[in-house]
Amino acid sequence: MSVPALTFATPRKLPSPGKLTGRVVVLDVAFAANISASVSYEAITKPFLAKLGARLAAWVDHHDHERHVDYADDDRFVLATKAAHGACPEMITPALVSRIGPVDTIMCHVDLDGLYAAAKWILGGQEPYAGADADAYAVDTRLGVPSAIAMTIDNALRARFRDDELKRSVVHFLIGGQAAGVHRDRIDEASAEFAARAAGTAQLAARYVVRGRVAYLDATSKSAVAYDKTDLLLAGQTMAPVAMVRDSGQLAIAAAFASGWDFVSLLGLAGGMPTRISIPDQRLTEALEKINSAPLPTPRSAAATPEADET
């Protein structure tokens, strides 16, 4: 099996196109939301696309963005909303992989959803194991219960979110039939580290303050405490419809996937996940006021549960 080069990215941190080999497929990487002059579609995504040019084989993504319409006539772009596709792997089909043809590099998002999408692409549009698409959906939307394999991988990635070798191990573990060996060992080791963060997460969660519809936590001064942001946001959503965590100059805001909240529109962002955004913490007062004064959203489903997917 031929495995393309693997590169990992986030909407705000894209690699230099010159460092990407040959034809490139981009999976589960959103267009950058307009946060500031230096963090925006115009500053990040558009220049990347211009420099990559004809070497872009395909861009497959499921995050809302107002600039999707610019690429409606370019069949290399397979773009959807989070409501239409809760996870990226379900968008990758044998027909799509066949239509795009061979690629030299896969650039994917750094989370489970992105890595599962990469594995599925390498496997020609086939799931690496039965139920893998459902697992990616459960992890990315926080709806349903993922399998033990997916939970282990998700925990491992959250424990070592900057470890690119771990991400490569996840992809190779998936395409290799989930066999025992060095890749599984690396995943298990990282997953075990995740448990150590639970105590710090619980410690911080006890300090949430409810401000109307928002459970708010300032973790800035508690930076020495190791914690998991996803679980911390989920804990906040058990106290109020919206969770908000302030840390490192940013506000992470999250609500349940099916809650109907659209923070992208409410706070005037160009794109992103409607129910999970990150903005500069200078907008704290504005965000609290707008969330607490907005009309209550209409849930998309009565089965709404907390969500805190990373962007």
Side-chain angles (χ1 to χ4, degrees), residues 108-293:
C108 65
H109 195 209
V110 299
D111 63 357
L112 180 143
D113 186 31
L115 300 182
Y116 272 50
K120 194 176 182 186
W121 190 280
I122 294 168
L123 295 172
Q126 301 295 331
E127 290 182 294
Y129 60 85
D133 282 5
D135 275 347
Y137 181 93
V139 169
D140 219 48
T141 64
R142 301 294 155 183
L143 292 173
V145 180
S147 71
I149 290 176
M151 290 181 68
T152 298
I153 292 173
D154 186 39
N155 288 345
L157 292 169
R158 287 197 275 158
R160 297 184 184 175
F161 53 90
R162 293 188 177 92
D163 187 342
D164 284 357
E165 286 309 307
L166 171 63
K167 298 180 185 74
R168 289 188 176 86
S169 280
V170 169
V171 174
H172 284 281
F173 172 71
L174 291 170
I175 65 176
Q178 304 85 63
V182 62
H183 300 308
R184 179 64 194 242
D185 291 345
R186 183 174 286 130
I187 293 167
D188 287 343
E189 180 182 328
S191 181
E193 291 176 10
F194 179 79
R197 293 177 176 265
T201 302
Q203 179 182 338
L204 286 175
R207 298 176 178 145
Y208 266 111
V209 176
V210 176
R211 299 185 177 181
R213 300 168 180 169
V214 180
Y216 171 75
L217 172 64
D218 187 345
T220 303
S221 62
K222 316 297 188 305
S223 58
V225 177
Y227 70 92
D228 180 77
K229 186 177 290 184
T230 295
D231 282 349
L232 193 57
L233 287 165
L234 290 170
Q237 290 170 67
T238 67
M239 305 173 196
V242 178
M244 183 182 296
V245 173
R246 181 182 189 179
D247 197 7
S248 302
Q250 295 290 311
L251 287 175
I253 305 173
F257 173 69
S259 65
W261 280 102
D262 185 350
F263 302 125
V264 171
S265 296
L266 184 65
L267 295 172
L269 306 179
M273 185 186 303
T275 53
R276 171 68 172 92
I277 64 166
S278 181
I279 58 175
D281 63 3
Q282 293 95 326
R283 300 185 67 182
L284 170 61
T285 300
E286 173 199 358
L288 286 170
E289 290 177 350
K290 287 187 174 180
I291 292 170
N292 280 317
S293 63

Side-chain angles (χ1 to χ4, degrees), residues 50-94:
K51 291 177 182 177
L52 193 58
R55 291 197 297 118
L56 177 69
W59 190 305
V60 186
D61 184 53
H62 67 126
H63 296 93
D64 303 52
H65 202 284
E66 63 181 16
R67 301 301 290 268
H68 281 185
V69 296
D70 295 356
Y71 303 93
D73 296 328
D74 189 332
D75 64 6
R76 296 176 301 169
F77 290 84
V78 182
L79 305 171
T81 64
K82 185 77 174 180
H85 289 286
C88 190
E90 64 194 50
M91 299 175 66
I92 298 170
T93 64

